[in-house]
Amino acid sequence: MSVNLRKIGATLAVLASAAFIAAGCGGDDEGGGGSSDLAASQDLVIQIGDETEAGVFDPPKTSYLDTVNRNSALFAALYRYNDDASELVPYAAADLPEISEDGLTYTVKLRDDASWSDGKALTADDLVYGIQHALDPATGAYFASFMLDIVGACEFNSGKDAAKNCTDRELTDGKPESIGVTATDDQTVEFKLNRVVPWFDQLMTLQTFTPLRRDVIEKFGDDWTDPKNIVTSGPFTLASYKPKSEIVVTKNDEFWGADDVELDKITFRMISEPKTAYREFERGRIDMAFPRTAIDAADVAKVKTEDFYVSAPSTETQYAYMNTRSPELADPKVRQAIAIGIDRPSLVENVTQRGDKPMNTITPSGIPNYDVMAQGSQDFIGAEDGPNIDKAKGLLEEGGWDANDTIDVYFSSDSGSATQVAEQMQSDLAKIGVKLELKPTSGDVLSTVGFGISPVKESVNIVLQGWVADYLDGQNYYQLFTCDAVDVGLNTANYCSEDYDKLYAEALKTVDADDRAQIYKELEAKLTGPDGDMPAAPLYQPTNDTVVATYVKQGGEKFKIASTGLIYYDDLSITADKDS
């Protein structure tokens, strides 16, 4: 899932303090949450940073982690991850999917007590329509590409380009009714795949697998998510939306678990500057913040000592994507030089200051078989050792670098420490003879085609952006550099290699996870190894951190950040400590 470098200090687009009087007033971090301990007002205020994907409440249209996190209050996904992201947990589904012996059919049973905010029952037809809506090319779903192994999905999504895009399969007629997602009864949906996809059950946690109401969308069109029209399936429903200011959601009494939802209202506030957000937190005007939206890098050391500081490693890598279609960056040797010229230890120690890990590899640690995949890089970048200036200069010379050229670096200007990251890169690369011009850009612009979403314009040289795991398989990262990924918006480097794609295709056919990891190791070598094309320079693996008042509880316990960065609201509550 894409996260831009406005949050670099976030998903760079995706998530995310001086003593806070209310946060310091008593409260046991380990307990509470029972009804007798609750505050009289269960109105939670959450800082979410700048408004990436402004006004987008249609689930499949979202791509950034922050947007997914606020929308998860409104719409019920089929599945979620448990606390440590080690296994799936049914949510709108009644149980884990039943998988056929050949791995090509997944059967999902929906809860029989799920309903919409208008009281209508949530049925299998709603899930079938939600899939069709996500795959409709008119929807423009960023993550539709994750669904194309469903029978008929590629053909419908591709339209007239189906014959070109949907190879190695017998083509359907391209109609939505021919997609291999069928309601076999009111609560059961059957998915048919073209090939075995070992992580398909994890894909069903994504926003593109969200049940949706055909009657509402067809009646109101693009206005179906207006607060006066929207119907939702999650624990809350949309009460109001003020662009660039706030989103208010209120408890959905029709939600199946409404009796266990303590919060009555959530106000998502949009404060672009972390320093401003932190001051609001100190004053008691916000209760918690999305990761990396409320702590400026310069304040991390101070905030880390507070009881309300919360952190955890993220399954995420931040990159400097290098546009392989830009003339200045066309030669792999030049891209390699830039990659090894960046001082990563200084970056994480002096700029981000959150305990982030310097990175050599496209995939982050925490992905199964990471140690095997990482061998492909052969530590070429030398992330832990810092830059190799002489080697970088030699690579520039081999690549025919023109010292008169200037490289433009685009990054989000809205929040986080992206500016400081870009400034250090500018200083580092000047030492090897590469001039950078910094291009601070709003998050909304970076989340559009031509900038942070491919195909990226030729004039955009480098984009600082990251990727956080949508599911725990290396494929989630290596897909970002396939030729097909350019046109579907995932390949910010515009990188295309026939050899890479052949190897990637082999990985997709390899069911055994250990054998697949060996192929991923070869893919890593083609990207970041000594002979790699280096379409993106891995920078670091971030730590997710934020501020959460001690009176905000998660299942009665202290709030914890998941490695996925995902936030759920069903079990949040405000204890009476807030009123002390």
Side-chain angles (χ1 to χ4, degrees), residues 97-325:
E98 178 184 325
I99 306 173
S100 64
E101 189 172 340
D102 63 5
L104 295 177
T105 303
Y106 284 66
T107 303
V108 174
K109 288 276 187 181
L110 297 175
R111 302 179 64 104
D112 57 13
D113 57 351
S115 62
W116 295 93
S117 53
D118 63 356
K120 185 177 179 180
L122 189 155
T123 69
D125 285 336
D126 297 325
L127 177 54
V128 171
Y129 176 70
I131 300 295
Q132 293 174 354
H133 177 66
L135 285 167
D136 189 336
T139 300
Y142 186 60
F143 283 5
S145 59
F146 291 178
M147 310 170 75
L148 301 185
D149 289 309
I150 300 172
V151 168
C154 180
E155 294 91 316
F156 176 53
N157 187 249
S158 297
K160 59 183 176 57
D161 294 324
K164 179 181 72 173
N165 296 341
C166 313
T167 56
D168 301 327
R169 69 189 67 188
E170 184 177 342
L171 296 180
T172 69
D173 59 13
K175 295 180 180 178
E177 297 80 12
S178 299
I179 298 171
V181 182
T182 308
T184 58
D185 61 41
D186 284 348
Q187 306 304 137
T188 309
V189 177
E190 186 178 83
F191 293 80
K192 291 284 190 182
L193 306 184
N194 285 301
R195 65 174 183 86
V196 175
V197 182
W199 50 87
F200 188 76
D201 54 349
Q202 295 187 62
L203 293 180
M204 287 193 279
T205 65
L206 298 178
Q207 60 270 29
T208 46
F209 287 81
T210 304
L212 294 173
R213 283 274 292 277
R214 180 191 297 271
D215 60 327
V216 174
I217 294 176
E218 291 185 346
K219 179 178 180 180
F220 297 109
D222 289 342
D223 293 329
W224 81 269
T225 58
D226 187 283
K228 66 179 181 292
N229 301 328
I230 196 170
V231 291
T232 64
S233 55
F236 296 87
T237 193
L238 183 62
S240 64
Y241 165 59
K242 297 178 181 178
K244 298 295 182 182
S245 177
E246 67 177 31
I247 299 164
V248 177
V249 301
T250 53
K251 186 174 177 177
N252 175 14
D253 291 330
E254 298 294 335
F255 177 63
W256 69 78
D259 289 346
D260 297 319
V261 175
E262 301 290 359
L263 295 178
D264 294 316
K265 181 172 79 171
I266 303 173
T267 300
F268 296 105
R269 287 189 59 189
M270 305 160 197
I271 306 172
S272 62
E273 291 297 326
K275 281 186 176 293
T276 304
Y278 183 55
R279 285 197 297 270
E280 291 291 274
F281 180 79
E282 290 181 288
R283 295 166 181 165
R285 295 172 181 166
I286 63 174
D287 303 307
M288 62 180 288
F290 278 5
R292 291 174 277 176
T293 65
I295 310 173
D296 189 87
D299 299 325
V300 172
K302 175 183 67 176
V303 179
K304 273 184 175 181
T305 64
E306 301 290 352
D307 289 342
F308 48 74
Y309 178 78
V310 181
S311 68
S314 174
T315 47
E316 176 185 348
T317 303
Q318 301 290 358
Y319 308 107
Y321 285 99
M322 291 181 274
N323 187 353
T324 57
R325 294 181 185 175

Side-chain angles (χ1 to χ4, degrees), residues 439-458:
K439 298 285 188 179
T441 307
S442 73
D444 285 344
V445 173
L446 275 185
S447 62
T448 60
V449 174
F451 289 90
I453 295 179
S454 60
V456 172
K457 295 190 297 185
E458 189 177 289

Side-chain angles (χ1 to χ4, degrees), residues 44-48 281 286-290 294 546-549 551-552 559 567 569 572:
L44 187 70
V45 182
I46 305 178
Q47 143 74 349
I48 64 173
F281 180 79
I286 63 174
D287 303 307
M288 62 180 288
F290 278 5
T546 191
V547 292
V548 180
Y551 54 72
V552 176
F559 182 87
I567 297 175
Y569 305 96
L572 296 186

